[in-house]
Amino acid sequence: MPRLLRPLTRAVTYTRWLHMVVTVILPLVLALVFPGLVDPTPADWLLIYLQPAPLLVLLGVLVPAVRTAEGLQARLMLFPGPHARDGSGRAGDDHGVSAAPSASWNDRMRTVVWLALRLEVGCAVAMVSNLLAGLCLSLVGAAFGDPGVSSAFRMPGTAWWYGLLAVLDLAVLLAFVTAAGALMAWAARALLGPSAKERLARLEERTEQLLERNRIARELHDSIGHALTLAVVQAGAARAAGDARFTEQALGAIEETGRAALEDLERVLLVLRDPERPAGSRPGLGEADRLLESARSSGARVDAEVAGPLDTVAGPVSREGYRMLQEALTNAVRHAGSLPVGVRLAVEGARLRIEVRNPLPEAGAAAGLRGGGTGLRGIRERAALLGGEASAGPEEGLWVLRVDLPAG
């Protein structure tokens, strides 16, 4: 389709036209009171166009919700979207137009300028549309032998070529309306676009969403990674042992580990599906025994020491501490196998301390652990977010992970 004819097929062309023309209703209603619409002079028409301006200024300044109403109208009628698709059929978005009430004097002033511009452009578009539509009607009438169809425009005689002028008249009208609609769309972005405060709020909301996605990713990594690691270790140990009784015990442990992983996965998915779900539904350090037993069932010899009242640890710290301990035990089982693992959970004053020790099987393993994969990086990130710190590294033939967190 030729580019010049494309506006004819775009619904947004006509919604923009309607958005501009509908503003003439207010001036006409006021004109019925004064100065009247019977034989108005040019001065009367000027007054008709200008007299709604003070009312619009008051509305824009005194009623913050006016900006909301204007923003919603602009979104719906000035831009292509699900309500008005463009020529390619792709839906758009709000195109940078805010639908929030005025929150500052800057917002109020921009709203006032928008209302005044919409009024005057709307009146101009309505007047030009009326004149060109009347002219087109007269040209069509003259082309078919009736030059007096419109009283405003009487053609001198009749001729077939008046029909060509009618097409040209419609093209001019369409070009004018399209240009005026583009002007109003640009003005809507400039005058009804989000303020600095709204942009900051959107940025904060986006940051919160990214943090939540990152937290959910860590939850899945810790829970599923822990379960799969233990299952792999248990399955490998059962195959190497070649003992029916040990294999049965390993299968039972794998079953229990898988069941616990499914419960954790369900918890995470429930939080993902229902953002209002309380975070307390996630496991905390009060359930640390489950992690220790799971590690023992994989063949690791876990020696645990618990000191201090874990139940006094704040909920967020307890839940994050549980995940850190889970990741630490996963790493210990993965790299130390059946070697002894020492775990210490202690509440000392206002601090929560977590320590996990396991022997380094070989120098190469220590080098690999020193790289601090995603698991150790996740532990450090969790600790930093809680205002604590985490460190990990070899000490006298042992790999030691220490986490220090505020308990309250």
Side-chain angles (χ1 to χ4, degrees), residues 131 133-135 137-139 141 146-155:
L131 292 175
L135 177 59
L137 185 61
S138 294
L139 290 171
D146 186 358
V149 173
S150 172
S151 58
F153 300 96
R154 183 177 181 85
M155 298 296 108

Side-chain angles (χ1 to χ4, degrees), residues 169-297:
D169 177 87
L170 285 178
V172 171
L173 175 59
L174 180 61
F176 176 76
V177 169
T178 302
L183 169 66
M184 294 304 293
W186 173 85
R189 295 189 187 98
L191 299 174
L192 297 178
S195 62
K197 183 177 180 180
E198 289 173 322
R199 286 194 294 269
L200 180 60
R202 288 186 181 183
L203 180 60
E204 291 177 349
E205 181 182 359
R206 176 62 177 165
T207 302
E208 288 294 329
Q209 291 174 349
L210 291 176
L211 289 174
E212 180 66 10
R213 289 176 59 184
N214 194 26
R215 184 189 66 77
I216 291 174
R218 287 199 304 265
E219 291 279 334
L220 289 174
H221 170 270
D222 293 346
S223 178
I224 305 304
H226 175 77
L228 290 177
T229 296
L230 295 184
V232 169
V233 170
Q234 290 159 348
R239 184 176 62 178
D243 182 84
R245 183 179 178 183
F246 183 84
T247 300
E248 183 177 355
Q249 292 176 347
L251 290 175
I254 291 174
E255 180 183 4
E256 182 61 29
T257 301
R259 184 178 295 110
L262 287 175
E263 292 176 0
D264 282 345
L265 179 60
E266 183 63 22
R267 285 193 182 102
V268 174
L269 293 180
L270 283 175
V271 173
L272 185 60
R273 288 194 294 262
D274 183 7
E276 302 301 323
R277 186 178 180 84
S281 61
R282 304 202 307 273
L285 286 176
E287 302 179 49
D289 288 343
R290 190 179 75 174
L291 293 177
L292 299 175
E293 289 302 320
S294 179
R296 291 188 181 108
S297 68

Side-chain angles (χ1 to χ4, degrees), residues 12-382:
V12 72
T13 299
Y14 304 99
T15 58
R16 286 175 176 176
W17 195 350
L18 177 60
H19 181 268
M20 292 181 289
V21 170
V22 75
T23 57
V24 80
I25 294 176
L26 178 61
L28 292 180
V29 170
L30 295 179
L32 292 175
V33 179
F34 181 82
L37 294 176
V38 178
D39 296 327
T41 64
D44 290 336
W45 279 117
L46 180 62
L47 178 62
I48 290 171
Y49 288 155
L50 294 180
Q51 67 179 350
L55 176 61
L56 295 179
V57 170
L58 289 176
L59 286 175
V61 171
L62 300 179
V63 184
V66 168
R67 185 166 177 261
T68 301
E70 291 297 320
L72 289 174
Q73 290 181 63
R75 285 184 179 187
L76 290 171
M77 304 184 74
L78 293 182
F79 300 99
H83 51 280
R85 296 180 181 274
D86 60 17
S88 63
R90 294 174 298 185
D93 53 18
D94 62 13
H95 290 269
V97 175
S98 174
S102 299
S104 64
W105 280 107
N106 181 55
D107 289 345
R108 296 170 193 260
M109 292 301 101
R110 290 198 299 160
T111 303
V112 167
V113 174
W114 164 258
L115 291 173
L117 179 64
R118 184 182 177 189
L119 171 67
E120 303 309 325
V121 172
C123 289
V125 170
M127 180 181 67
V128 172
S129 298
N130 181 63
L131 292 175
L132 292 181
L135 177 59
C136 180
L137 185 61
S138 294
L139 290 171
V140 171
F144 288 91
D146 186 358
V149 173
S150 172
S151 58
F153 300 96
R154 183 177 181 85
M155 298 296 108
T158 61
W160 64 268
W161 47 267
Y162 278 122
L164 299 178
L165 293 180
V167 173
L168 179 61
D169 177 87
L170 285 178
V172 171
L173 175 59
L174 180 61
F176 176 76
V177 169
T178 302
L183 169 66
M184 294 304 293
W186 173 85
R189 295 189 187 98
L191 299 174
L192 297 178
S195 62
K197 183 177 180 180
E198 289 173 322
R199 286 194 294 269
L200 180 60
R202 288 186 181 183
L203 180 60
E204 291 177 349
E205 181 182 359
R206 176 62 177 165
T207 302
E208 288 294 329
Q209 291 174 349
L210 291 176
L211 289 174
E212 180 66 10
R213 289 176 59 184
N214 194 26
R215 184 189 66 77
I216 291 174
R218 287 199 304 265
E219 291 279 334
L220 289 174
H221 170 270
D222 293 346
S223 178
I224 305 304
H226 175 77
L228 290 177
T229 296
L230 295 184
V232 169
V233 170
Q234 290 159 348
R239 184 176 62 178
D243 182 84
R245 183 179 178 183
F246 183 84
T247 300
E248 183 177 355
Q249 292 176 347
L251 290 175
I254 291 174
E255 180 183 4
E256 182 61 29
T257 301
R259 184 178 295 110
L262 287 175
E263 292 176 0
D264 282 345
L265 179 60
E266 183 63 22
R267 285 193 182 102
V268 174
L269 293 180
L270 283 175
V271 173
L272 185 60
R273 288 194 294 262
D274 183 7
E276 302 301 323
R277 186 178 180 84
S281 61
R282 304 202 307 273
L285 286 176
E287 302 179 49
D289 288 343
R290 190 179 75 174
L291 293 177
L292 299 175
E293 289 302 320
S294 179
R296 291 188 181 108
S297 68
S298 70
R301 300 193 299 274
V302 180
D303 181 19
E305 175 190 352
V306 178
L310 290 180
D311 56 347
T312 63
V313 178
V317 178
S318 179
R319 290 188 290 271
E320 293 300 315
Y322 177 93
R323 292 304 184 191
M324 295 180 196
L325 177 60
Q326 185 180 56
E327 180 62 29
L329 288 174
T330 301
N331 288 337
V333 170
R334 179 186 298 121
H335 297 289
S338 60
L339 296 177
V341 177
V343 176
R344 183 173 184 270
L345 299 175
V347 178
E348 300 174 350
R351 309 298 295 183
L352 168 66
R353 306 188 194 281
I354 302 173
E355 183 177 299
V356 179
R357 296 170 172 264
N358 59 269
L360 290 172
E362 56 185 22
L369 287 170
R370 193 176 294 113
T374 58
L376 292 179
R377 184 168 64 247
I379 291 176
R380 294 189 182 99
E381 290 175 354
R382 288 178 187 271

